[in-house]
Amino acid sequence: MKQGTMNILFFVLKTKLLKNGEAPILMRITINGQYEEIRIQRSVPLKNWNPAKGCSKGKDRASIELNNYISALTTRAYEKHKDCLLYTSDAADERSS
């Protein structure tokens, strides 16, 4: 079975700033060219966002916690994708037997 490609991108919605002036963070998961965008229920001041790295630039506690949360989401998404690939390959193996 061919393994699909997966990419994860975090970005902010500059056009939809919250009342406190922060921008909401979204996660885009792309698998085989099809993507889905999800709000991660976190926000960040625009000046603290690094779009190239998809994380917060700050060294304060809030920025570190946000970056840890983004890292955990990325890891969890890749684990779920791996589980799906294993499940579909196991099902394909059972059908071919």
Side-chain angles (χ1 to χ4, degrees):
M1 172 161 190
K2 182 182 176 190
Q3 182 175 347
T5 60
M6 179 176 174
N7 190 23
I8 299 174
L9 172 72
F10 290 91
F11 63 98
V12 294
L13 274 181
K14 295 178 184 179
T15 58
K16 302 273 185 180
L17 295 180
L18 303 175
K19 291 179 183 177
N20 63 2
E22 294 184 347
I25 303 172
L26 277 74
M27 175 174 67
R28 178 184 292 153
I29 301 175
T30 306
I31 301 174
N32 296 333
Q34 296 182 344
Y35 67 90
E36 198 65 39
E37 294 177 354
I38 305 140
R39 286 185 183 227
I40 66 166
Q41 305 302 317
R42 299 286 192 276
S43 61
V44 66
L46 282 175
K47 64 180 174 129
N48 287 353
W49 184 251
N50 184 340
K53 293 184 178 179
C55 64
S56 181
K57 301 188 237 191
K59 298 293 182 193
D60 60 332
R61 181 178 173 177
S63 295
I64 291 170
E65 286 178 3
L66 175 62
N67 289 339
N68 288 340
Y69 182 71
I70 288 172
S71 178
L73 282 178
T74 302
T75 302
R76 189 167 181 208
Y78 279 119
E79 286 173 353
K80 293 295 181 183
H81 183 248
K82 183 179 176 183
D83 290 346
C84 288
L85 289 176
L86 291 174
Y87 177 77
T88 55
S89 67
D90 289 345
D93 291 343
E94 288 177 6
R95 281 184 265 156
S96 64
S97 301

